[in-house]
Amino acid sequence: PAGTYKITGVTGQAGLSASDANTRILGSGRETTTLVYTSAQANCPSIRVSSYDVHISHIKVDGTANDTDTTNVDTQECVIDNCLIVGGHYGIALRNSTDDATDDSAYTVNHNHRITNNQLRNHRSTGVYCYRISRTLIAHCNAKDCLVDGFKFSGGSAYNRVVDNTAEGYTRDGFDFYDGIIESTIDANVSIGNTLYGFEIKGTYAGEFSDDDYVTRHSVFSNNVAQGNGHSGFGIQSVRNVLFSGNMSVSNTLQGFDLGTVQG
């Protein structure tokens, strides 16, 4: 129901732990139901999701006094929709516990999420952080006034859709696609007034058949807008066979499009 709820975490654990499948955490609205979490412990997020088919919606999660992630997900088929997430280190962290990025089994973990219609504010690091996620939709989210990147993808995230999101007022990049984006679609996003790049798209080039080759490849970047950022609108480094179409770079401090080590 509507109201403000205090979460007091147990030492070494999250404030709330969704460890059972088919769990629902449902509020009456993100302006009326608030979960407030206070913790100075590392790796103890406000909400930790560790089972599948968990839905979190229509609430505000306030981790302003929290030194770690506000919402941490390491599972599959999770939905976070219509939430206001404030404070903490990362707003939403989608982390893959599989460490070997060269192992295809990594993509059997942390996949098929729907992260939609959320507002992310005032995090110490990144609004939405994604490490080796796959088959996930991130859409219609607004991230503003945080201290690193608005949206960050790393670890060879694959087969995802990033659509109609906005990043504004970050001290680094609006959107940071790092260490390879594979067979994904990034469309109709806006990056405005960030300190560095609007969109930084970069990988580690080690040769097409090397296990250490984490270039962005076989993906589409279309209809995105970078405006008024402190570096280049689009920094594109180490990409292969990627389509860039209909993107716009306006009034950024350096280049509109800065390309290097681009193939295909």
Side-chain angles (χ1 to χ4, degrees), residues 138-161:
I138 299 175
H140 318 305
C141 294
N142 181 287
K144 188 175 180 180
D145 296 336
C146 303
L147 295 182
V148 183
D149 302 307
F151 297 80
K152 185 177 180 69
F153 300 80
S154 64
S157 293
Y159 327 122
N160 300 298
R161 290 177 294 152

Side-chain angles (χ1 to χ4, degrees), residues 21-238:
N22 305 309
T23 296
R24 302 292 185 268
I25 302 175
L26 174 64
S28 67
R30 64 189 185 191
E31 304 297 336
T32 56
T33 300
T34 302
L35 306 181
V36 179
Y37 179 54
T38 300
S39 176
Q41 301 179 73
N43 300 316
C44 296
S46 303
I47 302 173
R48 174 179 286 128
V49 179
S50 58
S51 190
Y52 63 88
D53 195 22
V54 173
H55 290 215
I56 303 170
S57 60
H58 295 89
I59 60 173
K60 176 181 177 180
V61 183
D62 187 346
T64 302
N66 179 11
D67 284 339
T68 183
D69 309 338
T70 305
T71 307
N72 188 320
V73 176
D74 182 10
T75 179
Q76 59 197 34
E77 299 180 12
C78 181
V79 174
I80 302 176
D81 176 67
N82 220 328
C83 293
L84 171 58
I85 301 174
V86 181
H89 189 68
Y90 298 125
I92 298 173
L94 307 175
R95 282 197 178 93
N96 194 325
S97 58
T98 306
D99 290 331
D100 185 2
T102 67
D103 184 353
D104 287 341
S105 67
Y107 297 109
T108 65
V109 183
N110 202 11
H111 61 77
N112 288 96
H113 306 305
R114 294 179 63 86
I115 311 300
T116 54
N117 303 302
N118 301 293
Q119 293 188 6
L120 304 122
R121 297 289 184 271
N122 304 114
H123 308 296
R124 294 187 181 91
S125 184
T126 297
V128 178
Y129 173 75
C130 304
Y131 178 73
R132 204 177 303 129
I133 64 167
S134 63
R135 301 173 180 86
T136 290
L137 171 66
I138 299 175
H140 318 305
C141 294
N142 181 287
K144 188 175 180 180
D145 296 336
C146 303
L147 295 182
V148 183
D149 302 307
F151 297 80
K152 185 177 180 69
F153 300 80
S154 64
S157 293
Y159 327 122
N160 300 298
R161 290 177 294 152
V162 183
V163 180
D164 189 30
N165 303 285
T166 301
E168 181 177 358
Y170 280 81
T171 60
R172 287 186 55 84
D173 306 321
F175 292 80
D176 186 355
F177 299 93
Y178 177 72
D179 264 358
I181 298 297
I182 304 167
E183 296 180 32
S184 295
T185 300
I186 294 86
D187 180 71
N189 302 284
V190 176
S191 184
I192 183 169
N194 302 289
T195 301
L196 295 181
Y197 292 94
F199 296 80
E200 186 169 19
I201 304 157
K202 61 185 178 182
T204 302
Y205 180 74
E208 185 169 358
F209 302 106
S210 168
D211 287 340
D212 297 321
D213 189 43
Y214 292 116
V215 300
T216 294
R217 59 188 184 272
H218 304 118
S219 295
V220 176
F221 289 78
S222 57
N223 306 310
N224 301 289
V225 176
Q227 181 177 5
N229 298 285
H231 206 282
S232 299
F234 293 79
I236 303 167
Q237 308 286 331
S238 296

